[in-house]
Amino acid sequence: DIQMTQSPSSLSASVGDRVTITCRASQTIDTYLNWYQQRPGKAPELLIYAASSLHTGVPSRFSGSGSGTDFTLTISSLQPEDFATYYCQQNYNPPITFGQGTRLDIK
Amino acid sequence: QEQLVQSGAEVQRPGASVKVSCKTSGFTFTGYFIHWVRQAPGQGLEWMGWINLNSGHTTYAQTFKGRVTLTRDTSMNTAFMELSNLQSDDTAMYYCARESRGRLDPWGQGTLVTVSS
């Protein structure tokens, strides 16, 4: 199975900050990488697909980049509703696998 | 509006089985896959398996092979996940999610399964 490793596991930041979360795959996955946001008590929601494509309705302050084994999710200017947990997920090879999550808290 | 609505919370005894439903609406049922993902309290996301809603073909994560069964009813536009021989560490939120071109979207609201004697 392909292992997905996110860093950091948790992060404290302030409204207006620029934040970057990284995700590393244990083998190359081209751009078969998605990002999800999960707010407390809610189901995950798709943010970014194919490493860099913004899902419909997702604010443009979110962006994704990377290919191969190294990927990043960037939030350009944090808003209060962005404090949540973020997961990367690969769909290059079954079984699909998720990163362990990055919890983003208010500083 | 594309939507997945799951059945309500369950409390089961150790050794029992649970069957969770995922009713879909707003899209052509047989055109997609449904994945099932679980999340233990305070933990991350764990993929359980998927079902091709057209053919009924299934693929299961090795962790759950032999204990999980995914089915669908095309007349009801509903997918089902049954997990048998429940243990306390199966206590979790269970989600269904539609797959389109490798992306999981949308997700159901989740079904909390509690295993307790």
Side-chain angles (χ1 to χ4, degrees), chain B residues 38-52:
Chain B
R38 83 173 182 182
Q39 186 171 39
Q43 302 301 307
L45 303 171
E46 181 178 26
W47 180 75
M48 299 179 70
W50 76 54
I51 181 167
N52 180 322

Side-chain angles (χ1 to χ4, degrees), chain A residues 1-2 5 13 20 30 42 53 56 64 70 74 79-80 87 91 95 103 106:
Chain A
D1 297 1
I2 298 175
T5 304
T20 297
D30 195 2
K42 299 295 185 182
S53 295
T56 305
D70 294 309
T74 299
Q79 298 303 302
Y87 294 93
N91 61 296
R103 180 175 169 173
I106 300 175

Side-chain angles (χ1 to χ4, degrees), chain A residues 1-4 24-30 68-69 71 92-93:
Chain A
D1 297 1
I2 298 175
Q3 306 302 315
M4 307 300 294
R24 174 164 288 177
S26 60
Q27 65 183 75
T28 184
I29 59 171
D30 195 2
T69 60
F71 302 86
Y92 180 77
N93 258 349

Side-chain angles (χ1 to χ4, degrees), chain B residues 13-106:
Chain B
R13 303 286 192 202
S17 298
V18 69
K19 191 170 186 177
V20 177
S21 67
C22 174
K23 182 166 180 58
T24 75
S25 61
F27 60 91
T28 302
F29 183 74
T30 52
Y32 295 90
F33 289 70
I34 290 285
H35 292 243
W36 290 85
V37 175
R38 83 173 182 182
Q39 186 171 39
Q43 302 301 307
L45 303 171
E46 181 178 26
W47 180 75
M48 299 179 70
W50 76 54
I51 181 167
N52 180 322
L53 298 178
N54 184 36
S55 66
H57 178 74
T58 56
T59 299
Y60 301 122
Q62 192 66 36
T63 308
F64 298 98
K65 266 185 182 174
R67 282 211 303 143
V68 68
T69 304
L70 303 183
T71 57
R72 91 283 190 226
D73 184 327
T74 56
S75 68
M76 296 171 54
N77 288 348
T78 301
F80 301 91
M81 185 282 297
E82 184 169 18
L83 188 62
S84 63
N85 192 23
L86 291 167
Q87 303 301 317
S88 58
D89 58 1
D90 291 315
T91 293
M93 188 72 80
Y94 290 79
Y95 294 102
C96 61
R98 185 191 72 174
E99 183 204 324
S100 173
R101 288 174 285 178
R103 315 157 209 172
L104 300 181
D105 175 71

